[in-house]
Amino acid sequence: MVAATRSPAYDVAAGTPDPEIPTLTIEDLGILRSVDYSSRDGVVVTITPTYSGCPAMREIAADVTARLNRAGFERVTVATQLAPPWSTDWITPEGKRKLAAVGIAPPPEARASAAPRHAGPIPLTLGRRPPSPGCPRCGSLDTQLTAQFSATACKSLHRCNACGEPFEAVKPI
Amino acid sequence: MSTAEHDFDDSPYDLLAADTDEGHRWAFGTGFTDPLEGIDTSVPEGLDPGALVRYCLALGDDALIYSHRLQQWVAALPELEEETAVANIALDLLGQARLLLARAGGIVGQTEDQLAFFRSEHEFRNVRLAEHADRDFAELVVRLLLFSTWRLSLFSSLSSCADPVLAAIAAKGVNELAYHRDYAASWVVRLGDGTPLSHAKTQAALDALWPLAGELLRPDPDAPADVFDHSVFDHGAFDAVIDSVLATATLDRPTSAPLAPVAGKTGRDGVHTEAMGYILAELQSVARAHPDATW
């Protein structure tokens, strides 16, 4: 998570729910990069996409603007920032707690190579079963991956062998 | 699910249902925002803007046309899990296409929509592999393996290239492409090392697609030297990944020659296979019939 300066406008923007997982805010997900003020653009909210094709970006921009307008900030500009690319490591501890509370397994720390991320070739996970996260319902670690892709770009699908329930997980990137 | 502990001023679902964007919808026409909104898109000094535009078009067109081909599979795949996977991969590629076309369009004063919907076939710079219609699931996964292995390797190099916007788009794509490649590779192994029937079909898919892979490794004459030095692109890494997957899948690496250029021209030069016209007809007809339509 990028350290952001807190301000009244930041607090309003930070409370914007994510369109796909609305119990989490964009601050919880680490999508909110900064909230600044300039005399030319008014309140400038900088957000980052989780995935290149994330269709929620537009909804988020509209929601952030509407919330700020309602809170009395008339001029709002929403800017995008691509670099450095979003990582699930930016999901806050509070965000991870909320994910688990709604039955979505939070992501483990993304691949250890944090800073100079892909300096070398990216390893192929061929034949190596990717680790499946613990079951958010019963806590069992005996779970299996059923699909690397799920209802949204950022999640994978799993099944708990202990309680038999399927569940989603936010996949580490 | 409990919402009591959240500090929203109203239910998150109510908030989402509220029409906060003046009726615009996420579809062709109005309501699109520039995906590069707020990003400094000035071209760095010393870089040839024309070459950068053509290069971004090539990579953007690869993603746009490939995404379209994958979208055609949705609702025709063997299992629900493959539906979500293929739809997600198509969405990732469409997102990459939007960013790359917006990068190119921003320099020449056109929107991503104008570039996607109002260019003619000879203006599209995608490789011919991207427009291939997969005849079965084996072709789908083999083609995706070839394409995503190449694109992942290329995007890894590009994420430190001289154009900061292209570098950021590439760095973003790397994480996505790594998932695409793993998905394709795991299916190629399951099918290749599966039953005699699945093995035969996968080998046949590989043999059919191999000639189209050659174009991926051809140097793009339009790649600006300072954006992408071809010596950076690691052909060895491409071969190593493909060979490792094929060996695990018990498949034979074909020895067939690359599909020949037509009068020296390939997809990158705007010369496409017959399939391309049908793709563009489907992709562009609504936008062209109703160029001023709004939703």
Side-chain angles (χ1 to χ4, degrees):
Chain A
M1 175 67 194
V2 176
T5 326
R6 298 208 75 100
S7 65
Y10 181 92
D11 288 337
V12 173
T16 307
D18 176 68
E20 284 173 344
I21 316 174
T23 52
L24 269 76
T25 66
I26 59 172
E27 182 188 36
D28 293 333
L29 282 170
I31 291 171
L32 183 63
R33 286 271 170 102
S34 63
V35 178
D36 300 312
Y37 183 84
S38 84
S39 51
R40 189 169 59 97
D41 301 316
V43 177
V44 181
V45 181
T46 306
I47 54 177
T48 195
T50 53
Y51 283 74
S52 298
C54 182
M57 286 304 283
R58 185 174 150 57
E59 297 302 324
I60 292 170
D63 291 347
V64 166
T65 306
R67 284 176 75 90
L68 282 164
N69 288 158
R70 272 186 296 166
F73 298 95
E74 283 176 12
R75 280 190 307 134
V76 179
T77 308
V78 180
T80 313
Q81 191 182 332
L82 290 178
W86 181 81
S87 155
T88 40
D89 289 346
W90 294 0
I91 300 178
T92 62
E94 174 68 1
K96 290 184 179 175
R97 195 190 59 74
K98 286 181 182 174
L99 280 171
V102 296
I104 301 169
E109 287 288 300
R111 302 150 209 187
S113 53
R117 214 140 208 229
H118 297 300
I122 294 120
L124 187 71
T125 60
L126 200 62
R128 199 153 41 84
R129 192 177 270 275
S132 189
C135 173
R137 286 191 180 75
C138 73
S140 169
L141 293 174
D142 181 16
T143 64
Q144 66 184 88
L145 176 77
T146 46
Q148 196 65 270
F149 298 87
S150 184
T152 65
C154 56
K155 288 182 287 185
S156 52
L157 203 56
H158 304 258
R159 182 167 50 230
C160 176
N161 295 327
C163 71
E165 291 290 330
F167 65 92
E168 285 187 311
V170 173
K171 59 191 186 194
I173 67 165
Chain B
M1 115 180 55
S2 157
T3 54
E5 58 191 314
H6 303 116
D7 59 357
F8 305 132
D9 45 9
D10 33 21
S11 152
Y13 289 100
D14 287 349
L15 207 66
L16 294 177
D19 191 0
T20 52
D21 56 349
E22 291 143 14
H24 291 327
R25 292 290 175 268
W26 201 67
F28 170 76
T30 55
F32 255 76
T33 46
D34 180 356
L36 296 176
E37 182 82 53
I39 291 173
D40 177 6
T41 51
S42 52
V43 177
E45 199 145 336
L47 235 122
D48 175 3
L52 181 60
V53 166
R54 289 191 296 279
Y55 194 57
C56 288
L57 282 179
L59 299 179
D61 289 345
D62 282 347
L64 178 67
I65 300 302
Y66 206 115
S67 176
H68 184 83
R69 274 297 187 216
L70 290 179
Q71 290 165 45
Q72 291 177 321
W73 268 100
V74 175
L77 285 153
E79 288 179 328
L80 189 58
E81 285 75 10
E82 311 327 313
E83 295 283 355
T84 54
V86 170
N88 269 302
I89 293 168
L91 179 63
D92 286 344
L93 290 175
L94 191 60
Q96 293 175 12
R98 290 193 62 198
L99 293 168
L100 288 160
L101 293 186
R103 177 57 175 147
I107 300 170
V108 294
Q110 289 196 300
T111 66
E112 47 172 321
D113 277 4
Q114 287 172 309
L115 291 173
F117 296 120
F118 296 97
R119 274 182 303 151
S120 303
E121 182 175 327
H122 70 272
E123 296 171 286
F124 276 81
R125 302 202 64 231
N126 56 284
V127 290
R128 290 172 291 181
L129 180 74
E131 66 213 37
H132 176 81
D134 302 311
R135 282 164 288 202
D136 59 16
F137 188 69
E139 285 202 356
L140 188 159
V141 293
V142 168
R143 191 167 69 101
L144 188 60
L145 174 69
L146 297 170
F147 182 74
S148 58
T149 301
W150 164 76
R151 195 167 171 93
L152 175 58
S153 191
L154 177 62
F155 273 37
S156 303
S157 316
L158 285 176
S159 46
S160 54
C161 77
D163 176 35
V165 181
L166 179 56
I169 295 169
K172 184 106 206 92
V174 162
N175 291 326
E176 298 159 5
L177 293 162
Y179 274 106
H180 304 175
R181 189 188 64 178
D182 280 358
Y183 172 80
S186 66
W187 265 113
V188 168
V189 168
R190 282 171 74 180
L191 294 175
D193 192 22
T195 66
L197 179 64
S198 74
H199 175 88
K201 285 192 166 194
T202 312
Q203 184 68 55
L206 183 62
D207 293 343
L209 291 165
W210 194 256
L212 286 162
E215 202 174 331
L216 296 173
L217 304 175
R218 270 169 73 99
D220 182 350
D222 275 325
D226 29 9
V227 164
F228 178 41
D229 174 359
H230 260 277
S231 62
V232 175
F233 182 63
D234 193 350
H235 286 218
F238 175 87
D239 283 338
V241 170
I242 296 295
D243 285 343
S244 136
V245 175
L246 296 187
T248 314
T250 70
L251 295 166
D252 296 324
R253 184 183 169 119
T255 51
S256 47
L259 183 65
V262 178
K265 296 181 174 196
T266 66
R268 289 277 183 257
D269 309 298
V271 171
H272 296 283
T273 61
E274 186 187 353
M276 188 67 179
Y278 294 94
I279 293 175
L280 292 183
E282 188 173 290
L283 183 73
Q284 298 183 331
S285 58
V286 173
R288 284 179 181 252
H290 307 283
D292 301 318
T294 56
W295 266 255

